[in-house]
Amino acid sequence: MAYASGQLPTTDVDHTYTTTGLNHRKLLMWTFLSSDCLFFGALIATYMVYRGQSLVGPYPIDIIDIPLTTISTFVLLCSSFAMVQALAATNRNDQRGIQLWLLATILMGATFIGFQIYEFNAFRMEGLKIDTNLFGTTFFTLTGFHGAHVTLGLVWLTILLIMGRKGKLGPAQSLDVEIAGLYWHFVDIVWIVIFTLLYLIGGFDAGPTAGLLIEPSLLSLPT
Amino acid sequence: MLLSPPDRADSPAQVSFRRFPMNNILKSTKQWFQGKHLLALGILALSLVLVACDANAKQSTFGTAGPVAEKQLLLFNVLMWVMVAVFVLVEGALLYAAIRFRRRPGQPLPKQTHGNTVLELTWTIIPTILILGLGIWSVTTLFELDKPPASAAGNTLDVTVTGHQWWFEFEYPNADGNGTVITTANELRVPVGRAVEVLLQSDDVIHSFWIPKLAGKVDMVPTRNNRLWFLADETGTFYGQCAEFCGTAHAQMKFLVQVLTQEEYDAWVAGFGQTPQLSAAAQAGQQVFNGAGGCVVCHTVNGSDNPAIVAGRMQGFLNTEVGIAPGPNMTDLATRQTFAAGLIDLNRENLRVWLTNPEDIKPGNHMASRATIYQTADGRTSLTQTQVSALIEYLLSLK
Amino acid sequence: MATATNVMARPASASGLWSWITTVDHKRIGILYGVTAFLFFLLAGIEAGVIRMQLAVPDNTLVSPDVFNQMFTMHATAMIFMAIMPMSSAFFNFIIPLAIGARDVAFPRLNAFSYWTFLFGALLIHFSFVVQQVPDAGWFSYANLSEKPFSSGQGIDFWALGLQVLGVASLAAAFNFVVTIINMRAPGMSLMRMPLFVWMTLVTSILLVLAFPVITVGLIELTMDRAFGTSFFNTAGGGDPILWQHLFWIFGHPEVYILILPPMGIVSEIIPTFSKKPLFGYPVMVFSGIVIGIMGWAVWSHHMFTVGLGPVANSVFTITTMLIAVPTGVKIFNWIGTMWGGSIEFKTPMLFAIGFVALFIVGGLSGVSHAVSPSDAQQQDTYYIVAHIHYVLFGGSIFGLFAGIYYWFPKITGRLMHEGLGKLNFWLMFVGMNITFFPMHFLGLNGMPRRIYTYSSDFGWDWLNLVASAGYFVLFAGIVAFLVNFFITVKNGKLAGHDPWDAPGLEWTIASPPPVYNFAKVPQVVGLDHYWLVKRRAAAEGHPITEAEAYVDPETIHMPSPSYWPIVTAFGVLVLAAGFLIEFPWPYIKFPVPIIGGIISFIGVLGWSFEPAAPEAHHGSEDHH
């Protein structure tokens, strides 16, 4: 390393320099998402531990409507595709495309939330509330927090859409769209896990009186 | 203030404060610690350690009286000596390095070593081997202590222990081999030399069942059936205590284990729940117990826990969110050494203090907070002293 | 929009209270963290005093059992979440950017947000004293004791919601330092040239990122049980209180390493400096830190050996826990290896660092004895464990942090702390610590459970308790010596110069206290122990370096502007959490206040995102909106 004797070695890097070449905010989003994995992980673990442990009904098999949620799941997954298109439009400065695809993403996300509100309400009518039994407790908590994540994403995308309407989105703001997209895709992926566990697998669970489909609590290891 | 640029070249005169004579103190301390004094100090420390490990203390884990606690202690003792050896070696090396390599005036820059692979591998591998060795032994002991030995099969005594805030309930589903069920509280009676299998339950929060001289603790968790076993090699009284924080009176949730000879044990089982001979005073007390005092709502005395009596009295009681808490079974109270969950010796004076105002002795207890007779301005019982005296007579005749 | 722009104009004052409230300078935030944390350290220390005075003699009636339970709950909660963690944070904030050659952290405003959230969370928990609803179920608040039927007051709510807010603060800081350390190192500082303190901060931050969401979920579930009548841990509804223990300790064990790794990093800076020798086995020190961080996830159930998980689970956790002693032991050997053959100067930071190693050995060894689950069956929940945690957390973390204070005080203030008082401080703390905590080993082995507010004298615990209580005063005197030293030297101490210890780190190349921009020119890092290499080469070539990097006019270097949005957003978070303490008898919305908090936070985040762009070109930091 060449530097003048008796001097402190210095360098001239411009303000965009980062050690890894990655943008700070992108790295921040990845770090946040890794943290959020553990957040959902803990909630999902709680659900799994309490599968089939409800003392009273309604049980999942009584009220889970898989076909209905399959539709909303499909819509949410499609929204990820729209999000990708929105980013691509941003990168090629396609103003119409930006607005169109962002709007599509938002509409599909909102549809998902609409389905969720319908589902929550239907469950409530059928007698399942958050304090009814362990299924209600874990189901509403887990899907509720996921819904909150989606809603937050919708707010974020709406702000981006407003910026887009004002023509303030373009290749220079590609990162802003990309980071929102990272978040959106993450929320979608989490839903795939939730849908699989809560609906496709757990949707047939009954209560202890109706014949257990699974063993007692995962926490009670054989002794 | 903190971040103001420092006084640079033109710094004002520094404020000097008087030198604290730390160096002199250190020097004289250092001199004092050399030679004889150091040896004396070492001996003093060692003897303090020996005094401090008090096998005679009531709950000492050193004074074991059964195989479970013994095996646990053996493991600890071996670990402790390994620990002492490691301690001496490592702290010795640290102390040696600190003294031997202290800076001397005019010393040049020491040799700049960055590490030594062989050395570092050595002090990674040796502890790993040591630890795996100890670990394998630990796991063996763990499985060994999990269940009573096969030799004890068919000859074990079953006891169900239920934790309550803040006392222990003991139920013998089969106290004598003929299906006799006994429910008692706070004093566990077991025959010497016989493995006792304990089923641990809780009525409210998590407690922990621990008799240091007989066996390490296992928690009593609501919704869960934990098990523990122990065997006492000698007769006598052993002391136990709740070891999981369980609320206000956690410190005062204790119990006794009376290890009896088989004959004594059999006699206790046979005599349990026999209708006691009651003096006139005691009969008056019984009426207070079942009537004005309302004791019977929570406390059972075999034969007097008539559902009608209980239901009739129920109304006068405060029902909190937890509901009415069951109280200790009183059937053999007078045979016990202590009461209020192993807290105080059972005698007339103590009973009077307790019955007059239990809050004085055991703050937070549910009897003081729920029984109607204690819902007074100062917490003292609404019973008259005559009624209390009668109650004491009755309680002391429950054998 | 005119008014909006006006509102959004960034605050400009550079001094006074307002400048501290709106500051985004990592050095100021570090000082705020340090001072606040120290105040909570003193408060928690006084709570410890109440505990020790109550237990000094048998059958004592100094405090009621309820007050005693509040004291040990708040003592541990405050020490862990409001003293040790933020004191480490203070060093992360002040030192990390300097040690990696950066002008600030990656997200200066997020950093300010983290401090204010921390302060608000700590105040929220302590507000419980004002309304007399103090948490009293222990720092672990085991369910179902912490459920409504058994803890009907609001103490647990204060505890859970306050911790939730503190968690937000910790997460925000952790995200920031992960990004800062990965992304803002000066050119030339490869990962394996990072000072060990930076490494340990990175590992700690990653642990925080992954561990805190788990306790967040646990606290959400507990709060929901208490506020909405769910049954996560409520046995009446089928809930299992053991789930709480799993969630708590899956967080709680990494948390232990969150508390000890930063002080280990600090000590790894100090020992080489005062031994005049590079850290022995640097790569192994790095990897052992990482291994501890990873293995810390596989040992949580050793806190639950007596819960009844069965011999299989207990065996697994016995072995994993024992194995974690290996990387820890390696660290200790390497510290001794660093001192070996060195030229050791016993300045106060070095004394504290050696004290750290000496005491941590004791805590580590006793740790092995309760890693063994059969032996732990006798030790779990006794004073033996109390002794152990105080040897690792007081002898370890606190001694390490004090070493850090003495070491970096001249960098932070420009002045040296007084050596004589420093040594007095050290010896009083060292002796006091051993008098207080060593007897607790014996108390535990003699059968004294933890968390009991009284004991009777026939159990043979009297004199050991008295000794432990007496030791408290020696410790206390040590802290007083520190405070005296601090207040004398912070204004009148000897001027330190930029490099009083002839240290190897980048932070010593610049003036003390550092100028607002830290480095006038971004340094080029030439190797591990950068400044030593530079100074020694310069000396060998006959041009010794005696000056700090030359001071330049700070106006010529653009730094992120102050902002009020962080404190606004943090306040929103406070209202959001504290709102759950106020229940309304309304049919659908029982808790309207959190909604207000959410709105405040949202406005804060919006303001934050759309804050006007800084007027000039910017450097280094991402804070460019």
Side-chain angles (χ1 to χ4, degrees):
Chain A
M1 198 68 53
Y3 58 94
S5 184
Q7 300 284 313
L8 292 168
T10 58
T11 171
D12 258 326
V13 289
D14 78 345
H15 66 269
T16 55
Y17 174 82
T18 66
T19 317
T20 57
L22 282 171
N23 176 279
H24 288 339
R25 284 193 296 150
K26 200 159 155 184
L27 196 54
L28 177 75
M29 181 45 78
W30 279 110
T31 316
F32 167 76
L33 294 183
S34 68
S35 187
D36 225 18
C37 278
L38 271 287
F39 179 83
F40 279 111
L43 282 173
I44 290 171
T46 306
Y47 179 87
M48 294 306 283
V49 159
Y50 285 145
R51 265 185 74 199
Q53 304 291 313
S54 293
L55 302 179
V56 294
Y59 304 110
I61 197 162
D62 304 330
I63 54 175
I64 285 274
D65 186 348
I66 293 180
L68 183 86
T69 312
T70 307
I71 298 170
S72 71
T73 304
F74 179 72
V75 172
L76 188 67
L77 292 187
C78 290
S79 79
S80 258
F81 171 76
M83 190 68 230
V84 172
Q85 291 301 322
L87 178 60
T90 314
N91 283 336
R92 58 175 192 269
N93 204 10
D94 168 7
Q95 289 298 326
R96 218 180 106 77
I98 292 172
Q99 293 179 33
L100 192 75
W101 287 113
L102 276 180
L103 186 67
T105 314
I106 291 168
L107 286 179
M108 285 190 266
T111 309
F112 175 82
I113 291 294
F115 269 87
Q116 192 171 41
I117 291 171
Y118 170 80
E119 184 190 40
F120 277 23
N121 196 44
F123 283 8
R124 194 174 64 82
M125 306 294 257
E126 294 186 57
L128 185 74
K129 292 186 200 155
I130 197 162
D131 54 356
T132 305
N133 57 19
L134 282 172
F135 168 58
T137 293
T138 50
F139 175 85
F140 284 119
T141 309
L142 174 51
T143 54
F145 271 102
H146 180 266
H149 272 74
V150 177
T151 311
L152 200 70
L154 288 177
V155 173
W156 191 347
L157 292 175
T158 309
I159 294 171
L160 282 179
L161 181 63
I162 294 169
M163 287 169 70
R165 301 267 312 161
K166 290 182 180 166
K168 284 184 182 169
L169 285 186
Q173 285 77 33
S174 160
L175 195 68
D176 292 344
V177 180
E178 188 182 346
I179 290 171
L182 275 179
Y183 175 83
W184 191 256
H185 297 316
F186 172 79
V187 171
D188 284 5
I189 291 168
V190 170
W191 182 255
I192 294 176
V193 178
I194 293 177
F195 180 65
T196 311
L197 291 177
L198 267 64
Y199 293 82
L200 299 184
I201 296 176
F204 301 97
D205 287 349
T209 48
L212 258 182
L213 286 181
I214 51 166
E215 287 298 301
S217 168
L218 286 175
L219 291 180
S220 327
L221 294 169
T223 55
Chain B
M1 158 208 64
L2 287 181
L3 280 181
S4 58
D7 323 59
R8 287 174 191 288
D10 53 344
S11 94
Q14 282 169 35
V15 183
S16 64
F17 42 93
R18 219 160 41 157
R19 239 179 94 77
F20 188 81
M22 195 62 209
N23 283 347
N24 294 346
I25 295 174
L26 279 178
K27 198 182 275 176
S28 46
T29 319
K30 224 179 276 171
Q31 283 165 353
W32 193 89
F33 273 117
Q34 275 155 6
K36 274 189 299 191
H37 286 123
L38 193 63
L39 187 69
L41 210 68
I43 292 172
L44 182 71
L46 197 68
S47 49
L48 270 180
V49 166
L50 291 177
V51 173
C53 296
D54 184 1
N56 293 323
K58 281 180 173 176
Q59 286 181 192
S60 175
T61 58
F62 295 109
T64 60
V68 178
E70 252 161 44
K71 286 215 172 87
Q72 288 165 335
L73 180 65
L74 177 68
L75 200 51
F76 174 73
N77 275 339
V78 171
L79 279 167
M80 189 181 68
W81 288 112
V82 173
M83 271 150 50
V84 167
V86 175
F87 175 83
V88 170
L89 278 175
V90 181
E91 298 278 12
L94 178 69
L95 204 63
Y96 176 80
I99 295 167
R100 167 73 181 76
F101 300 106
R102 68 186 183 280
R103 188 168 304 171
R104 293 170 177 83
Q107 194 180 10
L109 193 66
K111 191 164 169 259
Q112 302 289 294
T113 49
H114 286 268
N116 180 325
T117 314
V118 177
L119 213 52
E120 288 169 53
L121 276 177
T122 314
W123 65 45
T124 310
I125 292 169
I126 290 180
T128 312
I129 294 172
L130 189 67
I131 272 177
L132 282 179
L134 286 170
I136 289 167
W137 183 32
S138 311
V139 169
T140 325
T141 310
L142 185 62
F143 277 93
E144 208 177 319
L145 292 181
D146 186 44
K147 289 194 171 66
S151 57
N155 186 32
T156 58
L157 176 69
D158 285 337
V159 183
T160 302
V161 182
T162 307
H164 298 268
Q165 280 184 325
W166 288 272
W167 58 282
F168 290 90
E169 178 179 330
F170 302 115
E171 190 187 278
Y172 301 71
N174 186 359
D176 56 358
N178 299 322
T180 303
V181 179
I182 287 183
T183 306
T184 178
N186 298 329
E187 264 181 50
L188 182 64
R189 290 180 168 85
V190 296
V192 69
R194 201 163 141 201
V196 183
E197 280 200 276
V198 185
L199 175 65
L200 298 164
Q201 293 180 329
S202 169
D203 187 47
D204 36 51
V205 301
I206 302 174
H207 303 279
S208 193
F209 182 79
W210 185 33
I211 324 154
K213 291 192 175 183
L214 295 177
K217 63 190 75 63
V218 175
D219 292 353
M220 314 165 77
V221 186
T223 74
R224 191 168 281 242
N225 297 320
N226 281 339
R227 286 175 187 281
L228 168 155
W229 74 276
F230 68 88
L231 186 153
D233 285 337
E234 48 191 272
T235 57
T237 304
F238 297 93
Y239 297 83
Q241 185 162 5
C242 173
E244 182 66 80
F245 179 64
C246 56
T248 308
H250 165 59
Q252 295 169 327
M253 183 171 166
K254 305 178 179 199
F255 64 101
L256 268 56
V257 180
Q258 305 284 12
V259 180
L260 310 171
T261 61
Q262 188 66 45
E263 295 74 44
E264 287 169 332
Y265 174 78
D266 291 340
W268 171 69
V269 171
F272 187 90
Q274 303 292 334
T275 315
Q277 295 299 315
L278 296 182
S279 64
Q283 280 174 3
Q286 189 177 27
Q287 279 173 8
V288 177
F289 190 90
N290 291 338
C295 315
V296 73
V297 173
C298 301
H299 296 284
T300 302
V301 173
N302 280 12
S304 69
D305 52 343
N306 185 325
I309 303 177
V310 176
R313 280 283 140 195
M314 204 67 116
Q315 283 180 320
F317 275 78
L318 298 179
N319 198 346
T320 68
E321 286 168 71
V322 196
I324 286 180
N329 186 301
M330 294 294 183
T331 309
D332 64 339
L333 179 74
T335 66
R336 298 178 199 159
Q337 287 181 6
T338 60
F339 70 104
L343 196 56
I344 40 176
D345 290 339
L346 183 75
N347 58 41
R348 280 196 165 69
E349 298 72 50
N350 284 344
L351 270 175
R352 183 173 298 279
V353 180
W354 172 257
L355 291 172
T356 305
N357 189 353
E359 189 72 9
D360 279 349
I361 290 180
K362 190 171 176 178
N365 76 80
H366 287 328
M367 185 160 95
S369 63
R370 290 177 197 184
T372 322
I373 54 170
Y374 297 113
Q375 306 312 309
T376 55
D378 58 357
R380 289 169 64 90
T381 177
S382 54
L383 298 177
T384 64
Q385 280 304 307
T386 325
Q387 284 173 310
V388 170
S389 302
L391 203 48
I392 292 170
E393 286 312 313
Y394 173 61
L395 291 174
L396 287 179
S397 41
L398 296 173
K399 290 185 175 152
Chain C
M1 282 305 283
T3 45
T5 315
N6 215 0
V7 169
M8 284 175 179
R10 299 187 78 147
S13 45
S15 60
L17 182 67
W18 196 240
S19 75
W20 284 86
I21 289 174
T22 59
T23 187
V24 295
D25 180 349
H26 72 95
K27 298 181 285 299
R28 284 188 160 202
I29 292 168
I31 289 167
L32 286 173
Y33 254 117
V35 171
T36 316
F38 205 86
L39 290 175
F40 284 111
F41 172 68
L42 293 179
L43 182 63
I46 289 166
E47 285 157 359
V50 176
I51 295 171
R52 271 330 312 165
M53 292 314 105
Q54 165 68 17
L55 291 177
V57 290
D59 296 318
N60 200 358
T61 52
L62 181 71
V63 294
S64 72
D66 286 327
V67 170
F68 185 86
N69 296 345
Q70 293 164 2
M71 285 300 123
F72 74 68
T73 301
M74 290 304 286
H75 165 70
T77 306
M79 278 292 184
I80 289 166
F81 296 101
M82 292 161 240
I84 298 180
M85 279 176 71
M87 242 191 266
S88 295
S89 264
F91 289 121
F92 297 172
N93 272 287
F94 202 100
I95 301 302
I96 291 295
L98 303 182
I100 61 173
R103 286 195 178 139
D104 207 319
V105 293
F107 303 96
R109 289 178 297 175
L110 188 63
N111 213 20
F113 168 76
S114 149
Y115 169 74
W116 294 112
T117 320
F118 153 65
L119 179 68
F120 291 154
L123 291 179
L124 175 59
I125 289 193
H126 280 88
F127 191 70
S128 64
F129 280 105
V130 179
V131 295
Q132 290 294 307
Q133 298 280 340
V134 189
D136 58 357
W139 84 280
F140 43 87
S141 282
Y142 269 6
N144 53 345
L145 180 63
S146 55
E147 293 276 311
K148 207 88 189 184
F150 304 104
S151 297
S152 52
Q154 284 197 305
I156 305 297
D157 299 311
F158 271 106
W159 180 85
L161 296 165
L163 277 197
Q164 204 73 282
V165 177
L166 289 171
V168 172
S170 298
L171 278 173
F175 294 149
N176 211 340
F177 283 100
V178 169
V179 177
T180 304
I181 293 171
I182 291 181
N183 237 11
M184 290 186 73
R185 284 166 286 139
M189 182 175 278
S190 59
L191 285 177
M192 291 311 275
R193 282 179 179 179
M194 277 182 359
L196 213 77
F197 176 59
V198 180
W199 256 116
M200 293 304 107
T201 304
L202 180 61
V203 175
T204 304
S205 300
I206 292 173
L207 287 180
L208 276 163
V209 163
L210 300 178
F212 258 83
V214 182
I215 191 66
T216 303
V217 168
L219 291 169
I220 286 173
E221 293 177 351
L222 178 63
T223 307
M224 286 181 65
D225 274 5
R226 294 179 58 87
F228 301 110
T230 56
S231 305
F232 284 107
F233 314 120
N234 187 358
T235 51
D240 189 343
I242 300 305
L243 176 64
W244 166 262
Q245 294 193 17
H246 280 294
L247 290 174
F248 188 82
W249 290 118
I250 287 174
F251 149 79
H253 205 79
E255 170 72 15
V256 171
Y257 296 109
I258 289 166
L259 297 171
I260 195 66
L261 287 175
M264 280 180 165
I266 292 172
V267 166
S268 306
E269 298 295 300
I270 291 172
I271 290 181
T273 303
F274 292 94
S275 304
K276 287 255 171 290
K277 251 182 90 214
L279 190 63
F280 194 85
Y282 169 85
V284 178
M285 287 298 256
V286 170
F287 287 125
S288 60
I290 296 172
V291 167
I292 289 174
I294 294 171
M295 286 179 68
W297 289 90
V299 297
W300 81 87
S301 280
H302 68 218
H303 297 271
M304 302 163 62
F305 277 153
T306 64
V307 157
L309 301 178
V312 178
N314 282 358
S315 303
V316 172
F317 285 101
T318 293
I319 299 287
T320 54
T321 307
M322 290 180 86
L323 280 177
I324 217 164
V326 174
T328 318
V330 163
K331 278 189 173 290
I332 288 169
F333 295 135
N334 278 355
W335 285 320
I336 297 174
T338 309
M339 289 164 65
W340 206 273
S343 164
I344 302 167
E345 190 180 14
F346 292 99
K347 296 281 191 197
T348 311
M350 185 61 172
L351 282 180
F352 271 103
I354 296 176
F356 168 98
V357 178
L359 296 172
F360 191 78
I361 293 170
V362 179
L365 287 172
S366 61
V368 173
S369 77
H370 38 256
V372 173
S373 62
S375 148
D376 182 63
Q378 290 283 22
Q379 292 155 8
Q380 168 82 16
D381 273 314
T382 69
Y383 262 82
Y384 189 82
I385 307 289
V386 179
H388 163 76
I389 60 141
H390 283 95
Y391 268 87
V392 292
L393 285 189
F394 199 98
S397 298
I398 296 284
F399 269 63
L401 291 166
F402 269 74
I405 295 175
Y406 277 94
Y407 183 60
W408 280 307
F409 187 85
K411 182 50 62 186
I412 296 169
T413 64
R415 295 175 186 279
L416 287 162
M417 289 187 100
H418 189 252
E419 271 298 314
L421 275 170
K423 290 195 166 111
L424 179 70
N425 173 200
F426 168 75
W427 285 108
L428 283 173
M429 269 173 73
F430 187 80
V431 172
M433 139 98 214
N434 283 297
I435 298 178
T436 310
F437 300 117
F438 206 76
M440 292 183 184
H441 290 111
F442 303 114
L443 279 173
L445 295 171
N446 291 345
M448 180 167 167
R450 305 170 80 164
R451 304 177 184 118
I452 57 170
Y453 82 98
T454 188
Y455 55 93
S456 54
S457 73
D458 50 350
F459 281 76
W461 304 329
D462 300 11
W463 69 277
L464 287 165
N465 268 307
L466 191 62
V467 170
S469 295
Y472 175 80
F473 291 104
V474 183
L475 256 182
F476 195 84
I479 304 294
V480 170
F482 172 81
L483 288 172
V484 170
N485 197 351
F486 177 86
F487 283 112
I488 289 176
T489 52
V490 73
K491 280 192 177 155
N492 299 321
K494 213 163 75 176
L495 286 181
H498 74 293
D499 182 23
W501 316 121
D502 182 24
L506 272 169
E507 70 269 31
W508 304 101
T509 61
I510 55 175
S512 308
V516 67
Y517 51 78
N518 297 352
F519 298 88
K521 286 192 153 178
V522 177
Q524 171 75 44
V525 178
V526 299
L528 182 63
D529 298 329
H530 165 83
Y531 199 27
W532 272 356
L533 298 178
V534 171
K535 280 185 286 192
R536 285 171 194 167
R537 199 189 103 173
E541 291 172 353
H543 307 279
I545 295 177
T546 53
E547 298 279 312
E549 187 187 33
Y551 196 70
V552 300
D553 179 5
E555 294 299 316
T556 62
I557 296 176
H558 175 73
M559 294 300 293
S561 322
S563 168
Y564 15 64
W565 296 115
I567 195 172
V568 171
T569 314
F571 182 72
V573 172
L574 171 69
V575 176
L576 177 68
F580 283 100
L581 289 161
I582 311 162
E583 190 174 340
F584 282 68
W586 295 351
Y588 288 102
I589 304 170
K590 289 205 291 185
F591 298 99
V593 186
I595 299 170
I596 300 170
I599 293 170
I600 299 175
S601 283
F602 184 67
I603 293 171
V605 171
L606 273 188
W608 186 324
S609 311
F610 293 99
E611 215 159 16
E616 298 165 57
H618 43 274
H619 285 270
S621 105
E622 182 58 28
D623 193 44
H624 65 251
H625 278 292

